[in-house]
Amino acid sequence: MAAEFAAFTSQAILDKFQKRVEVVEVWAGRILAGLVDGTLVVLAPDQQGLGGAGGKWQVQQAIKGFGKKYLSQLQVAQSGSLLFSLSEEGVNAYTLPKFKLTCQANRTRGASRFAWDDERAMLCVGCKKRLLLFHYDGKEFVETRELALPEPVLCMAWCGDSVCLGFKNQYATIHAITGALTDLFSTGNKPGAPCMVPVSKTELLLAKDNVGIFIGPDGKPSRKVGLTWSDCPVALAYSRPYVIALLPNYIEVRSAERVSQHGMAQVLPVRSASLAAATTAPDGSAFVACVSDTSTILRLVPVPLADQALQLADMEEFREALTLAALIPDVQTAGRAELEDALHTRYGHHLFAHGEFDEAMAHFGMCSYANPLMLLSLFPSLAAPKMLEPVASLMTDYKLPPVPEPEGEAYTKAVSVLLPYLLSHRSRLASFDEAGAAPDSQEASSDVEAAEAGQGQAQDGEAGPAHARLAGLDAEQRRQLAVLVDTAILKAMLDMSDTGALLLFVQRPNWADLSEGEKALQAAGRYSELVALYQRRGQHDKALDLLQKLSQKPGSLKQAPQGASAELNGLTGVWAAVKYLVSVGGSEQDLVKRHARWILKADPEAGLEMFIQMEPPLPPATVLPVLTAQAPALCAPYLEAVLHNGVADAAEFHDELALIYLRRLLEDEKAQPDAVAYANNVAQANGTAAGSTSGTDSAFDKLKDLISSSEHLDAERLLSVLPSHSAPEIRALLLERLGRHSEALQIYVHRMKDVKKAEAYCDRFYETKTAGRSKGTMPAAAWNSQDDSAAYDMYLALVQVILEREDESAPSSGRASKPSSSTWGEVARLLSRKQDRIEPNHALNLLPGEVPLHVVLPFLEGAIRGAGEQRRNAAVVKSLRKSENLQIWEELIRCKQRHFIVSSERACTICHKRIGSSAFVAYPDGTLVHYSCYKRTSTGNLGASGGSGMGSHRRVSSGIPIV
Amino acid sequence: MASRKRTLLKVIILGDSGVGKTSLMNQYVNKKFSSQYKATIGADFLTKEVQVDDRLVTMQIWDTAGQERFQSLGVAFYRGADCCVLVYDVNVQKTFDNLDNWRDEFLIQASPNDPDNFPFVVLGNKIDVEEGRSRAVTEKKAKQWSTQKGNIPYFETSAKEDTNVDAAFQCIARNALKNETEEEMYIPDTVDMNTQQTASKASSCC
């Protein structure tokens, strides 16, 4: 490692001192040094305060014989006003600053070590094989306890309620209250005195050979990790977070908070061979006395934590650096945050370079100004460096060493780690824009407002500085950033195994750059995703061209289709195109027209489906020419579907549809010379057995249905198109629509020889005509009405037609003009079947004179019987009416018979006065009232006459009161 | 390279829209609560340093969108998760019923090595609403479900009043660490030759 880490800088404050310094202690910015002969030397810097780094220190005071014979230990109480010293005569307490002896601890003569605890004001003294505990009450030491020890104590320190003791070969703790002595562990195999240093009030560091072990008040190791020095320490000092170990030839500084196993150490050289003592000032400075033939006191001034952290970072010890940065007090938060950002960035960078992508990204993520650019700059293949330029203001200010982009497997791994972070940045951008958009809508917003919105967001707990940086960009730059991020996401997903996520991503709104994405997707053969991207960007033509290629000639693509697109050859591709066009909808007419061609060619059904499903639908007028040109057979199903779902207007397209049917019908006819017979057969089959499946989907049936159901057909036009020799039934139907009944009937009877159909025709006509009025009146009376004569005259028209046939056929056949009996029979049967619908007189008039009577007999019989029936019916009706009349008379008489007896007691029910001889009103329930009272109570009510007013007044609906 | 101690924990929060995932995370990490609802778009994360026993670990909490239209590509986020937090609203039955779906979805998408023992934690949030009078899911029912699904720890929380949030996340951190392989105990360094060399060098030049 090139650079040497320095936690402290050393400075000699006392050099080449002739006497041996045994002990040093810090007191109010001064140093108390105890000499081997018992002299106490007070050292102070030239200028007051410890600050002056280069400042000279001078001996301020020297008290000879401060300790008798020697001074082996000094400790200043936390208050700074009390000093404890250990010399041959024992532990003495002095008040500071005058060094006035206040008291002595009894029986401590010849003590080896003491430990003072500020909190409890307790002094613990190891004196030969005894341990004495004193309480200092402000004036003197009061012995509280004496405990026996197996051997003299060499060092000791308080730790919670216990005192940790170091013997020659062993460490032990003794509980100050219970006196329980617990052995800990040996001091090690190598020769050397035990040594320890308090790290906190409840934690001690004990040296065992060259290993430091942290223990808690219970004597058990408090940390899993200890410290290791390169030699056995002679003395230890602690300046958070460092343990300063005085080794026989040098000082070694190691962090007690170290996190990595190869914790950094600083080594400070010292000239002398042996080191004696060390102590720590409140500002973190440590003072070390080194002794050989002369004494030196070194002051170790801590390097500011931030500088240390940077040093460590320079040495790539980022974790240590971060740990140190965390120790910087909160007062300096701003600086610390900056430092930590720098450390996270550099650490992330370092980790990234070493293939630790997960941790690297996590550290980038911990930067307060984390932004996608930091990440993207590491992946030139996801985002070309020059594309980053427009938003370079987001870049960190640190010059980071260039890191080659990972390759191969590592690249895939890195990208998969990167992806969620990119997505999170995407979310942040989106939520930033959302927050920024809010003020936008209220009033014209400036960037300042956007920044404020960003700040508001920050208060919601989002990373503030990151938002501030985003706010520093204008909308265009933010858009560019979004493009960068989304493009990178697209490319990153391409490099990962296909889970369908990429397709999902491009299908949703995104900012991915079209040309970049196009290139990348093409190179990877991910055509489905490319189609989706095209669609997102409105490049429908390109998308559909691609789909066409995929489906029709996948071989023409440079890169074999991968992923979802691999399945798009052939029909699936066609259907994909159909789905595409359906979603684009009818707004893109030209597009649909252009691509309908190949789709229809490849799979007519798909094409049909497309036109039918399209939302918004394409106007049928546009679709039909396309279909006629490409797949005429589909015109009819298309029109049927769009008519059914209401896209096409019946008025407009029924004609079209009928013509299409007609055309097909004629084609069929041409193909099958006996089509007429066929049509007749079918017609007969339909006429007799409903729902014969064979014929239902034929053009003939559809046309028939259409003609009979549609209200919009132009029958005239169709008729003109229909050749006279074909499809007689259709012709008949059309004629029917036009009201040319006799022509229609002629077709049925003569051309089709189907009297039943003709009769059905008449029935249909009759029923529609009479349907309207049949409700109120009796059916039997229908033909009585003169208005509806046309309805039943149709039957007569039929009879006429049947007879005409005979007339026509007679000369041609050369037979006698005598109608054949079969014809007569037919006519007769018809007449008798429908006799209730035919005016017999009219019918008789129609029949020519030569009709044999026996033939007409059934009809006449029927007619006479019908007339008789009618007469009887009328008689019954007459009688019924008469009895009804009688009933009403009876009722009337009963009503007239009502009477009331008005005696002198009868009183008016309203005024309760006697009726007397005044005019009165009687209610139907028998109560009587004065006429005047009645008038009064029914003021304004109908009440002209007593009689008619009653009903509404008393809830009685009938009855005639007598006035 | 020596296996370093894991210091990064990835935690995924899942649950229906509006159950308080973001609020829980914000309360835990930033000690802030806003009653204004803002749908989370996509997914984002916050980090927090957590002390688990004697270890300081960085917990990276990924908050995901509950609304389907904002959900993005779960698999990318679920990968490498150390713990999955399932959140529901105790006042809305449906959010509880959906826990099954979220759990299944996570296991399918993340496909952890040992799905049966993957650490989940269930949080029933919003217990503060109307002082619990509007509750639709009883604690008993939720606990029953959690027990059935492999003894998942269950907490009743209120992000608004900061009830149980710390405890829940502490448990989450602990559970996330549970899956880690037993780390070896610390073995002190042997003598660092490097240090000694630099020491002698340094002393010679001084």
Side-chain angles (χ1 to χ4, degrees):
Chain A
M1 260 173 230
E4 178 74 33
F5 170 70
F8 295 96
T9 50
S10 81
Q11 169 201 3
I13 56 168
L14 184 71
D15 208 3
K16 290 178 186 153
F17 193 64
Q18 291 306 320
K19 283 182 182 153
R20 184 182 163 91
V21 176
E22 276 287 300
V23 58
V24 283
E25 176 70 346
V26 176
W27 164 59
R30 274 159 278 198
I31 291 295
L32 307 177
L35 305 187
V36 73
D37 63 356
T39 309
L40 181 75
V41 176
V42 181
L43 290 160
D46 264 355
Q47 268 90 37
Q48 205 60 16
L50 290 167
K56 289 244 165 52
W57 289 62
Q58 280 177 344
V59 176
Q60 206 179 39
Q61 198 179 357
I63 307 167
K64 275 200 174 168
F66 184 76
K68 196 167 181 190
K69 287 203 173 156
Y70 60 89
L71 262 177
S72 63
Q73 205 181 346
L74 286 170
Q75 190 172 359
V76 177
Q78 222 163 27
S79 62
S81 58
L82 206 59
L83 169 71
F84 303 99
S85 74
L86 178 62
S87 60
E88 198 213 6
E89 55 188 359
V91 179
N92 291 353
Y94 303 86
T95 52
L96 291 173
K98 298 213 167 134
F99 300 104
K100 188 178 162 212
L101 181 68
T102 48
C103 66
Q104 290 184 312
N106 287 330
R107 303 203 294 146
T108 57
R109 173 174 287 273
S112 54
R113 208 69 190 158
F114 71 88
W116 165 252
D117 181 55
D118 273 304
E119 228 164 80
R120 298 175 189 77
M122 293 272 275
L123 183 75
C124 179
V125 186
C127 188
K128 285 162 196 140
K129 288 194 177 180
R130 288 174 300 151
L131 193 69
L132 296 163
L133 283 166
F134 297 93
H135 177 72
Y136 181 70
D137 62 4
K139 274 188 195 155
E140 55 188 11
F141 291 112
V142 182
E143 192 179 323
T144 56
R145 205 178 174 111
E146 180 185 336
L147 298 162
L149 292 177
E151 53 183 312
V153 181
L154 299 180
C155 67
M156 66 163 84
W158 283 91
C159 183
D161 282 333
S162 302
V163 182
C164 184
L165 310 169
F167 301 116
K168 191 160 181 282
N169 296 312
Q170 181 78 15
Y171 287 109
T173 62
I174 192 157
H175 199 274
I177 297 157
T178 63
L181 185 75
T182 317
D183 283 346
L184 294 181
F185 42 80
S186 82
T187 57
N189 303 322
K190 295 176 191 169
C195 92
M196 60 177 71
V197 66
V199 172
S200 70
K201 281 199 175 110
T202 54
E203 198 175 26
L204 289 178
L205 177 68
L206 309 184
K208 175 182 180 178
D209 287 343
N210 66 329
V211 176
I213 298 163
F214 294 94
I215 63 157
D218 55 357
K220 295 199 174 106
S222 56
R223 302 186 193 188
K224 283 185 183 161
V225 187
L227 285 181
T228 309
W229 298 286
S230 39
D231 206 342
C232 303
V234 178
L236 294 170
Y238 178 74
S239 168
R240 193 169 179 241
Y242 294 104
V243 173
I244 300 159
L246 277 55
L247 304 185
N249 292 308
Y250 50 90
I251 300 166
E252 195 168 291
V253 176
R254 281 180 185 271
S255 170
E257 317 272 337
R258 58 184 232 150
V259 276
S260 54
Q261 290 195 0
H262 44 284
M264 271 321 290
Q266 179 189 11
V267 173
L268 293 160
V270 283
R271 207 171 302 148
S272 47
S274 81
L275 295 159
T279 186
T280 316
D283 70 342
S285 292
F287 295 88
V288 176
C290 331
V291 187
S292 52
D293 36 333
T294 58
S295 292
T296 305
I297 296 178
L298 290 178
R299 177 185 176 212
L300 303 182
V301 184
V303 173
L305 285 171
D307 293 351
Q308 291 186 40
L310 288 174
Q311 277 185 46
L312 283 169
D314 287 341
M315 300 165 74
E316 302 190 334
E317 290 293 339
F318 297 102
R319 295 180 65 78
E320 301 277 359
L322 280 167
T323 316
L324 273 186
L327 294 176
I328 297 176
D330 282 343
V331 193
Q332 306 165 29
T333 304
R336 178 172 138 191
E338 217 166 272
L339 175 68
E340 283 183 335
D341 278 351
L343 291 175
H344 281 305
T345 311
R346 291 174 61 179
Y347 191 21
H349 205 75
H350 172 81
L351 287 166
F352 186 85
H354 287 78
E356 303 263 326
F357 306 119
D358 241 321
E359 302 254 318
M361 298 293 164
H363 277 284
F364 286 135
M366 280 185 259
C367 284
S368 58
Y369 52 75
N371 71 63
L373 223 58
M374 290 166 66
L375 305 177
L376 291 179
S377 59
L378 293 168
F379 291 88
S381 56
L382 294 184
K386 72 172 190 310
M387 288 183 66
L388 302 180
E389 275 162 24
V391 282
S393 64
L394 286 176
M395 281 304 285
T396 57
D397 312 325
Y398 313 110
K399 289 269 183 296
L400 295 169
V403 178
E405 193 171 25
E407 280 167 16
E409 225 168 89
Y411 176 77
T412 317
K413 196 176 149 216
V415 159
S416 71
V417 171
L418 171 74
L419 186 59
Y421 290 93
L422 283 182
L423 288 168
S424 79
H425 281 301
R426 187 170 196 272
S427 308
R428 285 179 195 178
L429 269 171
S431 65
F432 179 86
D433 279 343
E434 206 176 56
D440 257 11
S441 54
Q442 283 159 9
E443 55 197 80
S445 86
S446 63
D447 277 357
V448 179
E449 273 169 327
E452 277 166 4
Q455 291 300 318
Q457 191 90 31
Q459 282 172 2
D460 288 354
E462 311 251 348
H467 268 74
R469 286 224 180 187
L470 280 183
L473 299 179
D474 58 30
E476 172 59 19
Q477 281 175 316
R478 278 204 298 279
R479 197 193 61 78
Q480 278 168 336
L481 193 60
V483 170
L484 273 175
V485 170
D486 281 3
T487 310
I489 289 174
L490 186 149
K491 288 184 179 175
M493 285 184 169
L494 268 182
D495 294 319
M496 293 165 63
S497 60
D498 183 15
T499 57
L502 178 53
L503 190 57
L504 211 64
F505 177 74
V506 281
Q507 278 170 346
R508 292 187 188 176
N510 67 72
W511 288 97
D513 184 73
L514 180 60
S515 66
E516 287 268 318
E518 192 178 18
K519 244 188 280 167
L521 290 168
Q522 257 166 3
R526 298 284 283 274
Y527 298 110
S528 291
E529 287 80 359
L530 185 51
V531 168
L533 184 63
Y534 281 144
Q535 184 170 12
R536 267 277 145 218
R537 296 288 175 279
Q539 308 265 340
H540 303 308
D541 225 9
K542 278 188 173 177
L544 287 163
D545 281 342
L546 184 55
L547 279 174
Q548 181 181 7
K549 272 191 198 158
L550 279 169
S551 129
Q552 302 303 309
K553 34 189 174 176
S556 70
L557 293 160
K558 271 187 215 149
Q559 189 73 33
Q562 300 293 322
S565 58
E567 286 151 26
L568 283 182
N569 62 334
L571 286 187
T572 35
V574 178
W575 281 99
V578 166
K579 219 173 128 198
Y580 188 107
L581 279 171
V582 163
S583 67
V584 170
S587 45
E588 300 267 354
Q589 286 197 20
D590 293 340
L591 185 78
V592 178
K593 270 199 254 176
R594 209 163 31 244
H595 289 280
R597 226 159 278 153
W598 69 266
I599 292 174
L600 283 168
K601 209 172 131 203
D603 183 2
E605 250 178 71
L608 177 64
E609 198 62 21
M610 167 179 80
F611 285 124
I612 294 173
Q613 301 289 332
M614 199 163 286
E615 193 61 46
L618 213 53
T622 322
V623 177
L624 276 177
V626 178
L627 281 176
T628 321
Q630 298 296 324
L634 293 178
C635 291
Y638 167 73
L639 266 181
E640 282 162 18
V642 289
L643 281 167
H644 179 76
N645 64 19
V647 168
D649 183 15
E652 215 175 314
F653 290 97
H654 271 171
D655 270 350
E656 200 72 41
L657 184 59
L659 280 172
I660 291 166
Y661 286 149
L662 193 58
R663 234 174 279 140
R664 250 172 63 190
L665 182 65
L666 296 176
E667 274 163 26
D668 287 353
E669 239 171 59
K670 231 179 269 168
Q672 275 178 281
D674 55 344
V676 182
Y678 166 78
N680 275 342
N681 288 344
V682 169
Q684 263 158 6
N686 276 358
T688 49
S692 80
T693 47
S694 66
T696 40
D697 57 348
S698 75
F700 176 81
D701 285 314
K702 284 183 174 167
L703 183 54
K704 214 171 95 181
D705 286 348
L706 181 66
I707 294 173
S708 42
S709 63
S710 167
E711 297 165 13
H712 307 287
L713 274 186
D714 182 355
E716 199 90 54
R717 188 173 150 218
L718 280 172
L719 207 54
S720 67
V721 180
L722 184 66
S724 56
H725 59 275
S726 49
E729 192 169 4
I730 302 297
R731 177 172 285 272
L733 284 169
L734 290 170
L735 288 170
E736 177 183 355
R737 286 190 67 95
L738 291 171
R740 287 151 71 173
H741 301 299
S742 56
E743 280 173 67
L745 287 172
Q746 270 167 10
I747 289 172
Y748 283 125
V749 177
H750 300 311
R751 297 254 318 263
M752 295 171 65
K753 313 242 181 284
D754 191 345
V755 178
K756 268 189 192 143
K757 260 205 178 132
E759 192 183 334
Y761 179 99
C762 295
D763 288 345
R764 201 154 64 222
F765 186 77
Y766 177 83
E767 272 149 26
T768 46
K769 282 284 176 192
T770 55
R773 350 159 247 107
S774 61
K775 280 167 197 163
T777 42
M778 287 184 197
W783 50 266
N784 283 336
S785 160
Q786 286 300 312
D787 309 335
D788 299 312
S789 55
Y792 51 85
D793 278 355
M794 190 55 71
Y795 292 101
L796 296 178
L798 175 57
V799 171
Q800 206 155 22
V801 167
I802 293 172
L803 293 174
E804 263 168 30
R805 176 200 38 189
E806 291 308 310
D807 292 347
E808 274 168 28
S809 57
S812 64
S813 68
R815 274 201 272 154
S817 59
K818 233 182 184 181
S820 71
S821 57
S822 69
T823 310
W824 287 120
E826 214 170 279
V827 171
R829 275 194 297 280
L830 173 69
L831 289 173
S832 64
R833 260 201 311 276
K834 303 293 176 192
Q835 50 98 1
D836 58 332
R837 297 183 179 183
I838 298 176
E839 172 87 68
N841 286 338
H842 290 204
L844 279 176
N845 285 344
L846 216 63
L847 292 176
E850 59 266 33
V851 178
L853 196 61
H854 70 89
V855 173
V856 203
L857 201 62
F859 166 63
L860 291 176
E861 255 175 23
I864 290 165
R865 215 176 288 131
E869 191 185 314
Q870 237 177 316
R871 202 158 52 88
R872 280 191 297 277
N873 275 347
V876 169
V877 169
K878 186 185 159 209
S879 309
L880 284 170
R881 285 278 149 85
K882 207 168 177 179
S883 78
E884 221 174 358
N885 188 331
L886 278 171
Q887 268 176 2
I888 287 168
W889 268 106
E890 192 195 349
E891 176 81 15
L892 175 67
I893 288 159
R894 218 170 351 128
C895 291
K896 280 188 173 172
Q897 274 172 347
R898 288 180 69 197
H899 63 276
F900 304 93
I901 298 162
V902 182
S903 61
S904 55
E905 283 91 48
R906 272 316 271 274
C908 168
T909 45
I910 293 173
C911 66
H912 303 294
K913 285 180 186 150
R914 257 181 249 160
I915 300 273
S917 59
S918 50
F920 68 88
V921 174
Y923 286 99
D925 61 354
T927 53
L928 302 177
V929 295
H930 287 115
Y931 180 70
S932 56
C933 293
Y934 160 72
K935 278 300 247 191
R936 225 180 319 123
T937 50
S938 62
T939 35
N941 270 357
L942 313 160
S945 81
S948 60
M950 289 301 97
S952 66
H953 202 73
R954 279 292 185 103
R955 282 181 279 147
V956 175
S957 56
S958 67
I960 302 160
I962 297 162
V963 178
Chain B
M1 185 171 172
S3 66
R4 209 191 343 222
K5 267 204 271 180
R6 274 197 58 90
T7 52
L8 176 67
L9 296 180
K10 190 170 168 184
V11 174
I12 311 282
I13 310 186
L14 297 178
D16 279 6
S17 142
V19 297
K21 298 182 289 299
T22 308
S23 294
L24 279 166
M25 179 175 82
N26 262 334
Q27 178 61 266
Y28 177 60
V29 178
N30 298 319
K31 293 280 159 232
K32 273 175 192 153
F33 178 83
S34 159
S35 52
Q36 209 175 6
Y37 175 67
K38 207 175 116 234
T40 305
I41 303 171
D44 206 347
F45 66 91
L46 288 179
T47 41
K48 181 165 169 107
E49 309 245 281
V50 196
Q51 187 81 36
V52 183
D53 301 330
D54 62 334
R55 293 171 59 174
L56 190 68
V57 290
T58 306
M59 183 149 62
Q60 195 177 55
I61 309 167
W62 284 82
D63 172 34
T64 59
Q67 276 184 40
E68 197 167 349
R69 71 194 169 106
F70 291 138
Q71 267 172 32
S72 52
L73 322 159
V75 68
F77 298 104
Y78 301 169
R79 226 192 96 267
D82 297 296
C83 181
C84 176
V85 184
L86 302 171
V87 187
Y88 77 96
D89 177 348
V90 297
N91 307 295
V92 185
Q93 177 73 37
K94 210 178 145 282
T95 63
F96 177 71
D97 298 340
N98 276 342
L99 287 185
D100 260 320
N101 299 341
W102 285 112
R103 182 173 168 274
D104 292 348
E105 148 120 359
F106 175 83
L107 287 177
I108 291 165
Q109 300 258 28
S111 50
N113 292 333
D114 183 7
D116 293 335
N117 292 316
F118 186 85
F120 284 93
V121 173
V122 177
L123 307 184
N125 194 31
K126 303 200 189 178
I127 55 167
D128 57 281
V129 175
E130 289 182 38
E131 285 159 3
R133 281 192 299 276
S134 60
R135 270 189 89 120
V137 183
T138 61
E139 188 171 355
K140 195 178 152 203
K141 233 163 89 189
K143 277 191 170 154
Q144 203 179 346
W145 185 88
S146 308
T147 315
Q148 246 173 36
K149 296 287 167 187
N151 271 328
I152 302 179
Y154 173 71
F155 289 89
E156 303 233 311
T157 58
S158 158
K160 186 178 177 184
E161 290 172 0
D162 198 8
T163 317
N164 245 348
V165 176
D166 272 342
F169 275 92
Q170 191 67 32
C171 171
I172 288 161
R174 206 173 284 275
N175 275 18
L177 278 172
K178 211 171 59 181
N179 255 23
E180 184 184 43
T181 46
E182 270 307 304
E183 51 168 295
E184 70 273 51
M185 285 292 286
Y186 166 69
I187 303 157
D189 295 351
T190 43
V191 176
D192 188 350
M193 296 304 289
N194 208 9
T195 322
Q196 262 175 340
Q197 268 172 12
T198 47
S200 51
K201 230 189 285 164
S203 52
S204 61
C205 72
C206 199

